[in-house]
């Protein structure tokens, strides 16, 4: 049985006051309306994590993620945050390999293996992002491109750790563009990803939640989530509005 997950990647948005207000609103609406079998994850900027964790309630299925972590455990890495620091503040999840980090901070598939293993060692659950740029989609090589991302980053993780992995497919051409993958495009890529994960990790892949990301909104979430292999969403822009974010989670 796969967990249904809707995660909100706030990216570099929200002052502390705005972030606290948004998180409180999400938690309040979730308390009243969220079905037991759906999990919400909020991924605010690092500096808001500690304050937002204090708002969490063990009876409400809302968790907190960081948007990144460093691959090292400690040391002279000015400005960086380690996975064990995140775990020490009760952060439970971490987004790794987002296309913005791959593009603007040169994160390679190999570096992401190190980050994944650092996250697992600290007991965090990574949300590992993959997805192709527009030119790859137009060239028709998107399935191989995404499979290669998975092979290169995930071959170096153990089967035991794999059981704690969440995967997010985010076609880069759909991120923040208002262009969404069609439900057929999302499902066929998710099915391809699951098949590939099965070739790497066997039957455990049946239990891996694979989230769709890219201009997912209350108006299109139901159609996207209808795919057999689409287990939820990783939401950018629409996660900055509490009502919209929870409405997406009510779309299963
Ligand atoms: P949008 O929902 O704004 O397209 O962003 C998707 C995303 O990048 C989530 O990580």
């Amino acid at each position: 049985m796969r967990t249904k997950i809707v995660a909100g990647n706030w990216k570099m948005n929200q002052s502390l006051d705005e972030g606290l207000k948004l998180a409180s609103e999400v938690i309040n609406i979730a308390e009243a309306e969220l079905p037991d079998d759906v999990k919400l994850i909020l991924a605010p900027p690092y500096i808001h994590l500690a304050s937002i964790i204090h708002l969490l309630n063990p009876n409400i299925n809302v968790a907190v993620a960081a948007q990144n972590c460093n691959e090292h455990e400690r040391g002279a890495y000015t400005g960086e945050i380690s996975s064990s620091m995140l775990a020490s503040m009760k952060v439970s999840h971490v987004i790794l390999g987002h296309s913005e980090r791959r593009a603007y901070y040169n994160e390679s598939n190999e570096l992401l293996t190190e980050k994944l293993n650092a996250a697992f060692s600290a007991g965090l659950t990574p949300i590992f992002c993959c997805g192709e740029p527009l030119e790859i989609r137009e060239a028709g090589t998107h399935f191989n491109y995404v499979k290669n991302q998975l092979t290169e980053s995930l071959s170096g993780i153990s089967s035991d750790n794999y059981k704690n992995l969440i995967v997010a497919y985010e076609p880069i051409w759909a991120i923040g563009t208002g262009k969404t993958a069609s439900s057929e495009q999302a499902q066929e890529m998710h099915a391809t990803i699951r098949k590939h994960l099965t070739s790497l990790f066997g039957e455990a892949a049946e239990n891996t939640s694979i989230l769709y990301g890219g201009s997912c909104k209350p108006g299109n979430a139901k159609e996207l989530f209808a795919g057999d292999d689409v287990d939820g969403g990783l939401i950018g822009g629409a996660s900055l509005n509490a009502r919209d974010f929870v409405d997406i989670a009510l779309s299963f």
Side-chain angles (χ1 to χ4, degrees):
M1 186 62 189
R2 301 198 285 267
T3 313
K4 295 175 190 161
I5 298 169
V6 173
N9 177 7
W10 295 4
K11 308 191 180 182
M12 198 174 75
N13 291 296
Q14 307 296 79
S15 67
L16 179 58
D17 284 351
E18 289 165 346
L20 283 171
K21 182 165 174 281
L22 174 58
S24 309
E25 285 172 1
V26 168
I27 291 166
N28 288 340
I29 307 177
E31 181 173 25
E33 302 178 25
L34 192 70
D36 288 344
D37 64 342
V38 181
K39 186 181 191 69
L40 295 183
I41 302 174
L42 303 176
Y46 282 136
I47 53 165
H48 304 343
L49 285 167
S51 311
I52 290 175
I53 281 162
H54 280 110
L55 303 176
L56 298 184
N57 173 337
N59 300 317
I60 307 171
N61 209 354
V62 180
V64 167
Q67 296 174 16
N68 179 34
C69 71
N70 189 270
E71 64 278 23
H72 300 287
E73 200 187 331
R74 61 168 57 81
Y77 302 102
T78 302
E80 290 294 289
I81 306 285
S82 74
S83 54
S84 54
M85 289 174 189
L86 295 170
S88 75
M89 6 174 353
K90 310 257 183 292
V91 170
S92 52
H93 294 70
V94 59
I95 298 172
L96 290 175
H98 192 282
S99 58
E100 288 150 17
R101 295 215 54 92
R102 292 174 185 261
Y104 308 145
Y105 304 100
N106 296 320
E107 294 197 358
S108 65
N109 292 331
E110 294 72 21
L111 173 70
L112 290 168
T113 305
E114 291 180 44
K115 291 195 175 202
L116 283 161
N117 281 324
F120 287 128
S121 301
L124 300 178
T125 299
I127 303 172
F128 177 76
C129 303
C130 57
E132 79 286 359
L134 185 60
E135 61 273 19
I136 296 288
R137 168 69 59 168
E138 285 176 346
T141 52
H142 43 291
F143 294 120
N144 279 343
Y145 183 92
V146 169
K147 286 197 280 188
N148 186 55
Q149 286 180 319
L150 297 169
T151 304
E152 290 196 351
S153 290
L154 303 184
S155 297
I157 70 170
S158 72
S159 310
D160 245 20
N161 282 335
Y162 171 76
K163 292 181 192 138
N164 287 321
L165 185 75
I166 298 167
V167 172
Y169 168 60
E170 299 204 311
I172 297 170
W173 45 272
I175 295 179
T177 58
K179 261 192 187 175
T180 319
S182 67
S183 47
E184 292 78 19
Q185 286 173 321
Q187 168 55 27
E188 67 175 359
M189 180 60 90
H190 282 228
T192 301
I193 290 172
R194 193 176 309 284
K195 199 162 161 218
H196 194 61
L197 292 172
T198 305
S199 76
L200 295 173
F201 297 101
E203 278 181 17
E206 268 310 304
N207 297 322
T208 303
S209 296
I210 306 177
L211 316 182
Y212 169 80
S215 300
C216 184
K217 299 192 165 47
N220 59 25
K222 197 171 190 63
E223 213 182 317
L224 287 162
F225 295 174
D228 278 351
D229 291 288
V230 182
D231 306 306
L234 179 54
I235 318 300
S239 73
L240 299 177
N241 178 292
R243 185 68 259 175
D244 285 353
F245 181 59
V246 182
D247 277 347
I248 291 172
L250 299 178
S251 303
F252 287 101

